[in-house]
Amino acid sequence: MPDVSADSPATASAVHASSLEAYTTLRLGGKAGAVTVASEPDEAVATVRSAARRGEPVLVLAGGSNVVIGDDGFPGTVLLLRTRGVKIVKRDSRGVLVRVAAGEPWDEFVATTLGDGLAGLEALSGIPGSAGATPIQNVGAYGTEVARTIEAVHVYDKEADEVKELSLPECGFAYRSSVFKNNDRWLVLEVDFRLDDSTVSAPVRYAELARQLGVEIGERVAADRVRETVLKLRASKGMVLDPEDLDTRSVGSFFTNPVLSAQQWAEVQDRLVDAGEPPSWPAPNGTVKVPAAWLIEKAGFAKGYSGRDGVAISSKHTLALTHRGGGSTEALLDLAREIRDGVRDRFGVVLHPEPVLVNCEL
């Protein structure tokens, strides 16, 4: 555990940056008041504590893959979290407990676990960003989410000025959400994952993935085969970072899939005379989850649609809003507003952004 005593000498190193665009996958964002780099948990805690004492806001960035920063930048300190490390904490009858540093690149971590013969994260392959960001968003894809395997999250609590270990229930995981999202009280330092000591995957839960694998929902296959298939699927949708592919200059899915009450779902169906029956799947408590991508397309926004200079819907996936170069955050948000309003007018459904919006709003 990091030393978070008031006299801890650990300090992060300052760096000079004219713009925050270099630290986000969108390649957008204005200037920061200051930028520091922390390669150890102590340094990260010391930076956050010091800023809190000065009454200065702190923005923590690692992979920068799920954040939209305004054109005016961020007035406080931007902490670039570059902590690294993966270790096995214990093995028992419940599997293997693996602890990963918050700054560890997520897909490298997934590859490491599979290389060590540990299964459970294979369907989450190819997701950009850091390991520490995954519990904040309760990152999910292809029928699973990190809440299924997280056992604890180690955090620095700014209010209590101490490091804590939050159990799974204390994390408050929900669909693309947690107690950490939009709450600057917590600084994620490490995450504990409970994985299977096996080279066989978790049950395949997603229809598209099952079709590509040639198996039925609920079946298990070789975990590395699931990873390979997921990487191909994500790449086909522009969801694996590639500096040569402008479709990957995004935050991934910009909108969450709406979860509708039975009444809302009935109202949507009443508006579907010329749109056809949308794909959907049951959600908790009698609700229905509907793909935002389908709603966007049926509202008239096709792949490649460009409503503003320098930004456009991905040519591969309607849920990704991309920066093609020479654009601005405000242009991207204008496009997002146009899409949101178009879906609302067509279906009566309000889409909500998935990424964290910093010094800007939709």
Side-chain angles (χ1 to χ4, degrees):
M1 285 297 175
D3 173 12
V4 295
S5 63
D7 297 325
S8 173
T11 56
S13 58
V15 298
H16 299 285
S18 60
S19 172
L20 292 173
E21 64 183 28
Y23 306 115
T24 70
T25 54
L26 269 172
R27 295 296 183 259
L28 290 173
K31 295 181 179 180
V35 179
T36 63
V37 180
S39 58
E40 299 293 338
D42 285 0
E43 297 173 347
V45 171
T47 299
V48 171
R49 174 189 282 120
S50 178
R53 288 174 176 170
R54 297 192 304 269
E56 181 181 90
V58 175
L59 172 63
V60 180
L61 289 179
S65 63
N66 197 51
V67 63
V68 180
I69 301 175
D71 294 316
D72 290 334
F74 185 75
T77 295
V78 172
L79 172 62
L80 301 179
L81 199 60
R82 300 293 184 258
T83 56
R84 300 293 294 264
V86 178
K87 64 180 179 181
I88 293 177
V89 177
K90 65 178 178 181
R91 297 176 184 266
D92 55 30
S93 60
R94 297 174 53 224
V96 181
L97 189 66
V98 182
R99 183 166 299 163
V100 58
E104 189 77 19
W106 173 254
D107 193 54
E108 291 182 22
F109 171 57
V110 173
T112 295
T113 61
L114 293 174
D116 290 341
L118 305 177
L121 301 178
E122 55 278 350
L124 299 174
S125 295
I127 295 175
S130 68
T134 61
I136 297 172
Q137 190 76 6
N138 188 16
V139 164
Y142 294 103
T144 191
E145 55 192 18
V146 291
R148 288 183 178 271
T149 50
I150 286 178
E151 182 152 309
V153 178
H154 302 268
V155 299
Y156 169 61
D157 180 351
K158 289 196 290 186
E159 290 185 7
D161 192 22
E162 64 180 6
V163 168
K164 295 180 176 178
E165 178 182 316
L166 299 186
S167 66
L168 180 64
E170 290 174 312
C171 294
F173 288 125
Y175 173 58
R176 300 298 178 269
S177 184
S178 70
V179 297
F180 313 112
K181 189 173 182 180
N182 299 318
N183 185 348
D184 64 0
R185 173 179 176 178
W186 314 101
L187 169 65
V188 176
L189 300 172
E190 297 173 312
V191 187
D192 290 351
F193 289 87
R194 175 71 64 174
L195 304 177
D196 294 330
D197 193 358
S198 173
T199 59
V200 178
S201 74
V204 177
R205 301 183 178 93
Y206 198 75
E208 182 184 22
L209 179 57
R211 286 196 300 271
Q212 290 294 319
L213 290 166
V215 301
E216 298 295 325
I217 294 290
E219 287 189 44
R220 300 172 184 261
V221 298
D224 57 358
R225 185 178 164 212
V226 172
R227 172 175 169 78
E228 179 183 351
T229 303
V230 167
L231 288 174
K232 289 179 179 178
L233 283 170
R234 291 186 64 86
S236 71
K237 300 173 183 179
M239 296 292 186
V240 175
L241 291 181
D242 180 350
E244 302 301 318
D245 185 356
L246 293 180
D247 278 333
T248 71
R249 193 181 287 182
S250 75
V251 291
S253 297
F254 194 91
F255 296 103
T256 58
N257 292 323
V259 178
L260 309 178
S261 67
Q263 180 178 345
Q264 289 174 315
W265 177 230
E267 292 172 355
V268 168
Q269 290 177 304
D270 287 342
R271 300 185 183 215
L272 295 176
V273 176
D274 60 346
E277 184 72 16
S280 64
W281 55 95
N285 303 316
T287 58
V288 177
K289 186 181 292 185
V290 181
W294 189 93
L295 296 173
I296 291 169
E297 290 179 9
K298 294 301 181 180
F301 301 97
K303 296 172 185 175
Y305 176 84
S306 179
R308 303 291 184 276
D309 291 340
V311 299
I313 293 176
S314 166
S315 67
K316 301 180 180 70
H317 200 296
T318 48
L319 263 185
L321 307 189
T322 65
H323 174 213
R324 319 304 288 189
S328 66
T329 299
E330 192 57 29
L332 186 86
L333 293 174
D334 279 345
L335 176 59
R337 294 181 190 112
E338 182 182 359
I339 294 168
R340 177 199 61 192
D341 294 347
V343 170
R344 181 198 60 209
D345 294 344
R346 177 67 178 85
F347 295 106
V349 174
V350 177
L351 298 180
H352 297 283
E354 183 168 324
V356 176
L357 306 183
V358 177
N359 205 17
C360 60
E361 59 184 19
L362 189 57

